[in-house]
Amino acid sequence: ITPRVWEALASTAVAFFDITFDPDMNIMEGNDFFYVSNRQELVDKINKIKNDEDFRIETLEYQHKILQKYLDEKPIWQAEFKKAIEI
């Protein structure tokens, strides 16, 4: 995952991902609200969070929970990465 993904997840703005970036929706654990495949889909989702404050807050809480999960698992994925690049 690139640093931009971490920045997006940590922000107070809802992060959206192009489905081609993460076609299996691994980053957001299958929650398809965070994925878009075209402009209209993005517009519709932005309008949903603009028009429903409770939903926007729930969405951000979920997003931050996902980020925290990655942070909690940091020692595991760092060890796996080090193992993968060992020669």
Side-chain angles (χ1 to χ4, degrees):
I1 297 178
T2 68
R4 294 268 181 189
V5 172
W6 298 121
E7 292 170 6
L9 292 177
S11 77
T12 57
V14 175
F16 291 105
F17 302 95
D18 187 306
I19 193 66
T20 59
F21 179 73
D22 181 21
D24 296 326
M25 296 188 234
N26 292 319
I27 296 169
M28 300 308 287
E29 298 184 340
N31 187 325
D32 66 351
F33 183 77
F34 294 91
Y35 295 89
V36 296
S37 56
N38 59 57
R39 183 181 188 279
Q40 188 57 53
E41 199 172 10
L42 178 61
V43 168
D44 292 344
K45 290 180 179 189
I46 289 172
N47 284 333
K48 175 146 179 69
I49 60 175
K50 280 175 60 177
N51 296 324
D52 187 340
E53 181 65 13
D54 291 336
F55 181 74
R56 186 187 72 79
I57 291 168
E58 289 172 22
T59 302
L60 281 175
E61 287 173 352
Y62 180 84
Q63 177 175 304
H64 294 153
K65 182 185 90 173
I66 293 292
L67 176 60
Q68 189 59 53
K69 178 183 124 349
Y70 284 118
L71 293 174
D72 293 345
E73 294 175 352
K74 184 177 177 181
I76 296 167
W77 55 258
Q78 280 183 329
E80 289 174 1
F81 177 73
K82 287 178 183 176
K83 186 177 177 181
I85 61 172
E86 285 179 358
I87 298 176

